Amino acid sequence: MKKNDTRQHIITIGADLISIHGFGSTGLNKILSEAQVPKGSFYHYFKSKNDFGLAVIETYAEEYEARMNETLGNESLQPVDRLRSYLRCSVEDMKSCDFSRGCLIGNLGQELASQSPLFRERLDDIFSDWELRIAHCLKAAQETQQIKQDVDTEQMGAFILSGWQGALLRAKVQRSMLPLLRFENMILKQLGAVDQ
Amino acid sequence: MKKNDTRQHIITIGADLISIHGFGSTGLNKILSEAQVPKGSFYHYFKSKNDFGLAVIETYAEEYEARMNETLGNESLQPVDRLRSYLRCSVEDMKSCDFSRGCLIGNLGQELASQSPLFRERLDDIFSDWELRIAHCLKAAQETQQIKQDVDTEQMGAFILSGWQGALLRAKVQRSMLPLLRFENMILKQLGAVDQ
DNA sequence: TTTAATATTAGACCAGTCGTCTAGAACTTT
DNA sequence: AAAGTTCTAGACGACTGGTCTAATATTAAA
């Protein structure tokens, strides 16, 4: 499919630039010249820049879901190790992009939540889904007695998600992995998951 | 001083618009028309838009420091209540702006950390300062036996700061106070500060 | 093969960006 | 009243932004 090739190519390059510079500050020209796609084509594949932005989010969410399945959903690991591997995965990302990207959903949430209800609602749904996935992993950890029984897994899932977003921000501003490692330690301690 | 009046007025209006729309997406024209200040004046008071941005940060940091002194540093309250009043203060802000603003330093950190070392370093310093202030309050709480003795106050101070930033983001995207209230509950529980 | 329909591209278009610059107005100070 | 400084006015340039129409390339049908 040539069509989807070009479309997907624009999305891939666009997601990269948007992750770094934000949605508003990433011009179509920059994306298209980088992708080597003529400007006229853009409006063949997307209704508008906003429409394109939503497509970028969709693609990112799908890829992220796949990664969550490989980590948080990896049944060959103990539940707590699933959580650990999920967090470590983000840490590796941060390292490999030299603190320039962070989490696309978080970045766009900050930038667009108050500017576009459409974006806000979609991003909110994605966050909610992530919270549930973390909560689900915590539930499993509770069932195997890996963590304390008095933890409210739903609340804690949401707490971990938002806390992690904050830690990513702090790490970016500090250009240091410390906030991420600290977060992992604090959370595991709070869960009562002792290192073995 | 007329000079400082106009300058400060531009900063006030600018801070407001930047909080909502971000630095890159806030045009000088928009700021100046809103502030009813002619463009010519702007470059009398500021070297460039970046220079202006740093001035906005400076002003915000000063005001925020004052607020921290009134809450986290309020010696007429018990240490844990100082922390509580600090968090509640942010919650009120979020309510009163209808989730449109959040924390200017956090917002700019997300947007500018990877784009300008100058901004990044200044924002990092401000965050570090805030972490210390929280840690200091925790230390006081420990000395009055209000919270557990085994809490590493410095680590916890940093953890609370970044977690709170994440909770602000989550609240904004969700248009709900829940993430903020949840964060408060979770932290107080973790500190071992029981409600009385 | 010629025609019709679709998929893709080229680039004009205008509104908006930041920042510059020349004038002149409005204060101060002498 | 004069001189000097501070501040304002807003046109302007060079550029970038997203969008759209008109033309081209490609495919399918007749």
Side-chain angles (χ1 to χ4, degrees):
Chain A
M1 303 285 116
K2 181 86 200 304
K3 163 155 180 169
N4 286 346
D5 269 16
T6 304
R7 194 187 131 94
Q8 202 51 49
H9 184 55
I10 301 176
I11 289 177
T12 305
I13 303 284
D16 205 53
L17 292 172
I18 290 170
S19 286
I20 299 174
H21 302 105
F23 185 68
S25 303
T26 303
L28 258 24
N29 290 329
K30 218 168 284 178
I31 297 172
L32 295 168
S33 71
E34 180 108 350
Q36 304 222 42
V37 170
K39 190 167 197 173
S41 302
F42 183 85
Y43 282 85
H44 173 66
Y45 296 106
F46 305 99
K47 278 212 314 284
S48 64
K49 196 193 180 189
N50 269 19
D51 180 51
F52 166 68
L54 290 168
V56 167
I57 290 175
E58 234 46 54
T59 302
Y60 185 89
E62 277 166 28
E63 286 168 7
Y64 203 90
E65 193 190 326
R67 150 179 303 189
M68 281 189 137
N69 286 336
E70 288 166 18
T71 54
L72 282 178
N74 182 350
E75 306 215 352
S76 76
L77 293 174
Q78 293 284 341
V80 166
D81 289 322
R82 293 173 209 166
L83 180 62
R84 248 195 280 264
S85 80
Y86 166 64
L87 298 180
R88 292 282 164 84
C89 215
S90 283
V91 173
E92 285 311 310
D93 274 356
M94 213 32 156
K95 238 179 228 163
S96 72
C97 76
D98 196 34
F99 304 98
S100 69
R101 255 156 274 231
C103 169
L104 181 67
I105 305 303
N107 296 355
L108 292 182
Q110 189 73 273
E111 182 182 358
L112 302 174
S114 61
Q115 292 195 47
S116 157
L118 213 69
F119 276 88
R120 206 211 96 235
E121 279 163 29
R122 187 66 193 102
L123 294 167
D124 185 28
D125 286 345
I126 292 169
F127 271 153
S128 298
D129 177 56
W130 293 359
E131 288 172 352
L132 279 178
R133 284 167 184 270
I134 298 172
H136 187 258
C137 177
L138 294 176
K139 191 83 189 159
Q142 234 167 20
E143 282 160 7
T144 60
Q145 321 280 346
Q146 272 200 299
I147 63 170
K148 289 191 207 153
Q149 296 300 314
D150 71 343
V151 170
D152 181 330
T153 55
E154 274 200 36
Q155 289 289 308
M156 183 56 81
F159 178 76
I160 290 176
L161 177 95
S162 75
W164 189 244
Q165 288 291 324
L168 287 169
L169 166 62
R170 189 69 191 95
K172 193 171 169 182
V173 174
Q174 197 174 334
R175 286 186 67 79
S176 157
M177 293 303 159
L178 268 159
L180 302 178
L181 303 177
R182 169 167 52 227
F183 183 84
E184 185 186 327
N185 282 340
M186 290 286 203
I187 287 297
L188 291 176
K189 200 178 196 178
Q190 186 169 6
L191 291 173
V194 195
D195 274 319
Q196 58 260 29
Chain B
M1 298 287 115
K2 184 86 197 307
K3 161 152 182 171
N4 286 345
D5 269 14
T6 303
R7 193 186 131 95
Q8 202 52 47
H9 183 54
I10 301 175
I11 289 178
T12 305
I13 302 283
D16 205 54
L17 291 172
I18 290 171
S19 286
I20 298 173
H21 302 105
F23 185 69
S25 303
T26 303
L28 255 26
N29 290 330
K30 216 167 286 177
I31 297 171
L32 295 170
S33 72
E34 180 107 354
Q36 303 221 45
V37 170
K39 193 167 203 172
S41 302
F42 182 87
Y43 284 90
H44 173 67
Y45 295 107
F46 305 101
K47 278 211 315 283
S48 65
K49 196 192 179 189
N50 269 19
D51 180 50
F52 166 68
L54 290 168
V56 168
I57 291 175
E58 232 47 53
T59 300
Y60 185 89
E62 276 166 29
E63 286 169 6
Y64 204 89
E65 192 190 327
R67 149 179 306 190
M68 282 188 136
N69 285 336
E70 288 167 18
T71 54
L72 282 177
N74 182 350
E75 306 215 352
S76 76
L77 293 175
Q78 293 284 342
V80 166
D81 290 322
R82 294 173 207 166
L83 180 62
R84 247 195 279 264
S85 79
Y86 166 64
L87 298 180
R88 291 284 164 83
C89 214
S90 283
V91 173
E92 285 312 310
D93 274 355
M94 212 33 155
K95 238 179 228 163
S96 71
C97 76
D98 196 33
F99 304 100
S100 69
R101 258 155 272 232
C103 169
L104 180 67
I105 305 302
N107 296 356
L108 293 181
Q110 190 71 273
E111 182 181 358
L112 302 174
S114 60
Q115 291 194 49
S116 155
L118 212 69
F119 276 87
R120 190 194 67 73
E121 279 163 30
R122 188 65 193 102
L123 295 167
D124 185 29
D125 285 346
I126 292 168
F127 271 153
S128 297
D129 178 56
W130 293 359
E131 287 173 351
L132 280 179
R133 283 167 185 269
I134 298 172
H136 187 258
C137 176
L138 294 176
K139 191 82 189 162
Q142 234 168 20
E143 282 161 6
T144 59
Q145 320 281 346
Q146 271 201 300
I147 64 170
K148 290 192 207 153
Q149 295 300 316
D150 71 343
V151 171
D152 180 330
T153 54
E154 273 201 35
Q155 290 289 307
M156 183 56 80
F159 179 76
I160 290 176
L161 177 96
S162 74
W164 189 244
Q165 288 292 323
L168 287 169
L169 166 62
R170 188 71 190 92
K172 192 172 170 181
V173 173
Q174 197 175 333
R175 285 186 67 81
S176 157
M177 293 303 160
L178 267 159
L180 302 179
L181 302 177
R182 170 166 51 228
F183 183 84
E184 185 186 327
N185 282 338
M186 290 286 203
I187 287 297
L188 291 177
K189 201 179 196 177
Q190 186 169 5
L191 291 173
V194 194
D195 273 319
Q196 58 261 31

